[in-house]
């Protein structure tokens, strides 16, 4: 059975490009995956977030990373791309979404949203639902830090620990040891409370003994 496929655009060239893209989407196969080109971006996003959650459980990603991805996905990415079918996503569309987030929200949010979109589309490519990850050809984002980071000097470090030790709430929450552990190892707070959370207290006590 033969079915006609039609597309409309402002020019003949654009209409032909849209037609080719739609034909590729209709003939795309799964290659053993669970996604198809006719599935919506939101479906792939749910599957990708499940993979990220598994990596957090395995200690390969921090809980903070999962929270950031979920926030950017719900607040910025899904409103723009959630209902778009995977086979209809293009580099110009992805580029437009990222630039809009950068203009309306912030460059930092646009950069993390770009990572989310790239992760979802990369999963779609691996499942055979897309031929390529269009984020790769989108415009790169350069995010300048608002302030140059500065390390604490010795007097500031000592004052920080003295203030924590003198605060009963901080002591009950083990913040002095947690702060010392993070300072001694250089890990992020998500890593300290996540994958390293079972070991940080004993390490911090040893580090404090050596420091003294």
């Amino acid at each position: 059975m033969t079915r006609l496929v039609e597309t409309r655009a402002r020019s003949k060239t654009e209409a032909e490009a849209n037609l080719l893209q739609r034909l590729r989407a209709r003939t795309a196969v799964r290659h053993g995956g669970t996604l198809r080109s006719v599935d919506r971006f939101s479906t792939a996003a749910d599957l990708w977030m499940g993979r990220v959650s598994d990596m957090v459980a395995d200690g390969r990603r921090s809980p903070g990373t999962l929270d950031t991805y979920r926030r950017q996905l719900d607040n910025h990415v899904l409103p723009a791309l959630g209902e778009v079918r995977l086979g209809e996503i293009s580099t110009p569309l992805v580029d437009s979404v990222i630039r809009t987030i950068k203009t309306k929200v912030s460059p930092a949010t646009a950069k993390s949203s770009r990572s989310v979109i790239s992760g979802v589309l990369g999963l779609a490519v691996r499942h055979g639902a897309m031929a390529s990850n269009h984020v790769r050809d989108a415009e790169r984002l350069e995010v300048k830090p608002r302030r140059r980071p500065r390390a604490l000097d010795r007097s500031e470090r000592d004052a920080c620990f003295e203030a924590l030790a003198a605060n009963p709430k901080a002591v009950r929450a083990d913040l002095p040891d947690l702060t010392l552990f993070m300072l001694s190892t250089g890990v992020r707070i998500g890593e300290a409370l996540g994958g390293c959370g079972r070991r940080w207290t004993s390490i911090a006590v040893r580090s404090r003994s050596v420091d003294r």
Side-chain angles (χ1 to χ4, degrees):
M1 180 178 178
T2 302
R3 299 181 60 183
L4 294 177
V5 179
E6 297 181 357
T7 59
R8 297 181 182 274
R10 292 173 295 182
S11 67
K12 179 180 178 181
T13 301
E14 186 176 353
E16 290 176 347
N18 292 341
L19 179 60
L20 287 174
Q21 184 176 9
R22 181 166 297 185
L23 290 174
R24 292 192 189 101
R26 290 176 63 87
T27 57
V29 294
R30 291 194 179 200
H31 297 297
T34 58
L35 292 173
R36 298 174 301 169
S37 60
V38 295
D39 289 329
R40 301 188 188 278
F41 180 92
S42 56
T43 302
D46 288 340
L47 185 60
W48 180 72
M49 284 300 297
R51 300 291 176 85
V52 177
S53 297
D54 291 341
M55 287 190 286
V56 172
D58 294 340
R60 290 179 289 160
R61 294 291 187 277
S62 70
T65 297
L66 178 63
D67 292 340
T68 298
Y69 285 166
R70 171 53 66 186
R71 184 171 59 254
Q72 309 301 24
L73 185 66
D74 291 342
N75 295 338
H76 307 291
V77 178
L78 287 181
L81 294 173
E83 295 303 309
V84 181
R85 299 187 187 278
L86 295 173
E88 297 174 347
I89 295 176
S90 63
T91 298
L93 175 59
V94 171
D95 193 58
S96 176
V97 169
I98 295 173
R99 285 189 286 107
T100 298
I101 297 174
K102 177 182 178 181
T103 301
K104 293 186 175 182
V105 187
S106 71
T109 300
K111 188 172 183 178
S112 56
S113 296
R114 177 192 173 103
S115 298
V116 170
I117 298 172
S118 180
V120 175
L121 297 190
L123 178 67
V125 171
R126 293 193 295 275
H127 280 257
M130 299 180 66
S132 61
N133 188 337
H134 296 292
V135 177
R136 295 179 179 177
D137 296 324
E139 182 181 0
R140 295 287 180 180
L141 291 173
E142 298 293 335
V143 180
K144 295 182 179 180
R146 295 180 180 179
R147 294 185 301 178
R148 186 175 181 180
R150 184 183 68 84
L152 297 176
D153 58 31
R154 181 178 293 274
S155 62
E156 292 172 329
R157 184 201 65 180
D158 293 342
C160 176
F161 283 120
E162 290 174 2
L164 289 173
N167 188 313
K169 291 184 178 180
V171 173
R172 286 197 299 270
D174 293 330
L175 290 184
D177 286 340
L178 175 61
T179 304
L180 181 60
F181 170 73
M182 294 177 63
L183 183 64
S184 302
T185 61
V187 299
R188 296 176 294 183
I189 189 168
E191 296 168 331
L193 298 178
C196 300
R198 294 184 296 273
R199 300 181 296 167
W200 73 263
T201 301
S202 60
I203 297 177
V205 171
R206 292 199 299 271
S207 298
R208 183 166 54 187
S209 300
V210 173
D211 185 63
R212 289 178 177 176

